[in-house]
Structure formats: C-alpha cells, structure tokens
Amino acid sequence: MAFIDWVLHPTELWAAFWYVMRHAPPDEKTMQLQVSGDMKRCYDFLEMTSRSFAAVIQELNPKLRDGICLFYLVLRGLDTIEDDMTIPGAKKRNLLETFHEAIYQEGWTFKESGPDEKDALLLVEFDVVIREFLRLPIEYQEVIADITRRMGAGMAKYTRTRVESLDSYNEYCHYVAGLVGHGLSRLFAKSGLEDPAVGENLELANSMGLFLQKTNITRDINEDVLDGRCFWPKAIWGDYAATEDELISKTNREKGVDALNVMCVNALHHIPDVLEYLSQITEPSVFKFCAIPQTMAIATIVLCYDNPRVLDDN
C-alpha cells in the first residue's frame, strides 16, 4: 500500500529515495572498507560509471552484492561499446556478438574507445572485472554470460535496424534492459534469497527493465537527436514531425510536446507489472534495490510529462 501511495503522490518519491539512502545499516554503509584488491577496483568502477546504482548495489545482501556489481560492470562494458559511435559498424557488431566470450578470457581489455567515451577506462582495465567474474559461483557466471550473449546479439541487430514500430521499440528495450531484469531475477532466485518463481516469471521482470529504459529514452530525446540517433519509435513521433530534428525544434514545440506525452504514457503502461513484480519480492535489500530505481523513474516521467524543457535540454 505504501508503494501505491508513492505512485499517487509522485512528488514524495524523491524524499522517499533520500530517506532510504541515508538510513542504510552502518555495516552496509562501510561495505567498501571490507573489500580489497581487484574487487575493490570493481567497486571503484561501479561508482565511476553509475553513482545511483552504486548506492543501491552496495546495500544488497552479501550473497548478491559482488555478483550484481560484476553483472552491472559486464553490461556497462558492453553498453560502452554499443554507445561508441567511433567504432566502425562491422567491428562493433563483432565485439557485441562475442563479448560473452571475452568475459572468460583472462587478460582481455579494449583500448580503442573514442576520445569522448566517458566509461572507456572500464574497458581499458576490464581484465580486473574478468578476474573477479571468474571467481563467482558457476551458477552466477552462467546467468551473466547468457544475458550478455543475448543482449550483445540484440544490440548488434540494432546497429543496422532503426526503431520504427512499437514492436521494434519494445524489442530494442527488451534487449538493452528487459534482459537485465531477466538476469537480476534469475540471480535473486539462484542466491536463495527469493523464491525460485521470481527467476521463472520473466514477463514481469521484462517490464521492470522496459519501464526504466523507456523513461531514459523519453528523457534523453534532445541529447540523442543531437548525437544523430533517435530511439523514440517513428510510429509515435512520425505523427507529430517530419524529421527527428523537427521533433525537438522550437518551431514545432506544441506537436513535439504532444509526442513527448505519448511517450510518457507508453512507459507508464508497465507500472501494473512493476507493482506486481515488487509485491513478490520478500528480502528487504532486494526490495530496496528493485524499488528505488523504479520510484526514481516514476518521478522522472512525472517531470517529463507535458514539459517542453525535455525537448530543449540534455
């Protein structure tokens, strides 16, 4: 009931988030002092690449903490390659499609990222991540490698294919985020902290990922169009603009905001699944890990809805 109250009063979501983050148990707050060597460097990379996820990952139950940290870093490495517009298409597709093999190759690194790639250092020192990945329980390794393989194949597909239809939009979001929900749910179940059913009902897990990804895609339209790409489906924006540039143009502002609102509503369709998924999570640290990003995404969508600044600012 409390979570539904937050949904109905979205302005309270940020206060809830900061309360949770500031009231973590002391032994979890000092977790980083209890690791050293390669794993310490992995947590350094976690904080470098996503301070928000670093906060929630570090508060996870120790049975999951390192595994999910490494899962995140493996996928962040994959995502860094996908985002790098300086890597030639054929080479990028090969890297994406074989990344699940690279994580088993001790000493593998990648030093050819573009000069503006903010997470390039992770790939330069990726051998550190690999060493710790290979120390994980085999059942964790298998989940991470399987998700990496499937995600890499999907990313490679969309280096050649544009997001046009609503089906392709959902498929792209599944590859880059729904599969993360699959992997996390399977890890939760493998750890024994959650019921095996959590790792089996993957439709709900997919929606968890899709809601977060669609929120990011909706919010980032200005930056993406200026970078020469667009993940809004043409099936939506094509009703309001002739080109992607026109979509964010001030001369087309009213129609651009109408398209923005359709994107927000599309994302919000996943909320019932999000609530159902959260209702089956029983371990407190896992619940916080799942709920905090979702509440932040709800707050973000609320800020985006009918807000022309989304079209103007990165």
Side-chain angles (χ1 to χ4, degrees):
M1 181 62 70
F3 191 82
I4 294 175
D5 288 341
W6 289 351
V7 174
L8 297 176
H9 301 89
T11 57
E12 298 176 12
L13 288 172
W14 290 110
F17 168 71
W18 287 115
Y19 176 86
V20 170
M21 296 315 299
R22 290 173 179 171
H23 290 76
D27 61 324
E28 293 183 354
K29 280 285 191 180
T30 59
M31 182 280 306
Q32 284 184 283
L33 300 178
Q34 301 169 17
V35 296
S36 60
D38 287 345
M39 199 63 222
K40 174 63 168 60
R41 185 59 173 159
C42 287
Y43 280 106
D44 290 342
F45 278 125
L46 181 65
E47 291 191 349
M48 290 179 202
T49 55
S50 177
R51 295 192 64 82
S52 57
F53 271 109
V56 291
I57 288 174
Q58 289 174 23
E59 294 201 1
L60 277 167
N61 187 293
K63 290 184 178 181
L64 279 168
R65 188 182 291 147
D66 289 354
I68 289 182
C69 172
L70 293 164
F71 183 37
Y72 176 86
L73 292 178
V74 167
L75 298 187
R76 173 57 70 180
L78 184 69
D79 186 64
T80 299
I81 289 172
E82 186 211 19
D83 281 346
D84 193 336
M85 304 303 287
T86 70
I87 302 175
K91 182 172 185 176
K92 177 184 287 190
R93 283 188 287 275
N94 181 64
L95 286 166
L96 294 172
E97 291 171 343
T98 61
F99 202 78
H100 66 286
E101 299 172 356
I103 62 177
Y104 284 101
Q105 298 173 21
E106 292 191 56
W108 187 91
T109 61
F110 183 76
K111 301 178 181 179
E112 301 172 47
S113 298
D116 298 325
E117 197 55 52
K118 61 183 178 63
D119 295 330
L121 184 60
L122 170 63
L123 290 173
V124 170
E125 297 186 35
F126 206 73
D127 52 330
V128 174
V129 177
I130 291 172
R131 282 196 295 271
E132 286 299 327
F133 167 76
L134 294 175
R135 294 187 179 110
L136 287 174
I138 294 298
E139 58 268 28
Y140 283 17
Q141 292 183 33
E142 289 174 347
V143 170
I144 294 171
D146 178 55
I147 297 300
T148 304
R149 175 185 61 79
R150 294 162 63 190
M151 183 179 293
M155 286 178 168
K157 174 181 177 179
Y158 277 91
T159 63
R160 295 175 172 174
T161 304
R162 294 181 68 83
V163 177
E164 300 275 352
S165 67
L166 291 177
D167 284 344
S168 66
Y169 182 45
N170 286 326
E171 181 182 62
Y172 174 76
C173 291
H174 165 72
Y175 283 135
V176 301
L179 285 173
V180 180
H182 283 204
L184 289 171
S185 298
R186 289 163 61 186
L187 290 173
F188 298 158
K190 295 283 187 185
S191 73
L193 295 173
E194 296 294 345
D195 191 276
V198 171
E200 296 166 359
N201 188 356
L202 297 180
E203 184 175 348
L204 295 179
N206 189 62
S207 275
M208 293 281 284
L210 261 63
F211 179 59
L212 296 180
Q213 185 66 21
K214 288 183 175 184
T215 297
N216 291 340
I217 286 173
T218 299
R219 179 198 63 200
D220 292 342
I221 182 61
N222 178 275
E223 179 180 2
D224 285 339
V225 170
L226 293 180
D227 283 345
R229 57 188 181 179
C230 180
F231 298 106
W232 285 24
K234 190 174 183 180
I236 289 179
W237 68 258
D239 290 337
Y240 303 94
T243 66
E244 295 158 356
D245 288 333
E246 184 183 11
L247 178 64
I248 64 171
S249 171
K250 291 182 183 294
T251 62
N252 190 50
R253 186 44 36 89
E254 184 175 348
K255 289 184 177 180
V257 171
D258 287 342
L260 168 65
N261 291 344
V262 175
M263 289 292 295
C264 291
V265 171
N266 180 279
L268 288 169
H269 284 156
H270 296 286
I271 290 296
D273 282 352
V274 168
L275 296 176
E276 185 174 350
Y277 182 93
L278 291 172
S279 72
Q280 66 182 352
I281 299 299
T282 59
E283 204 279 331
S285 74
V286 174
F287 181 84
K288 286 195 296 184
F289 173 80
C290 294
I292 288 172
Q294 299 293 331
T295 57
M296 293 175 69
I298 293 169
T300 299
I301 283 291
V302 169
L303 291 173
C304 287
Y305 188 84
D306 212 33
N307 185 351
R309 287 186 57 195
V310 175
L311 305 175
D312 291 332
D313 301 329
N314 294 338

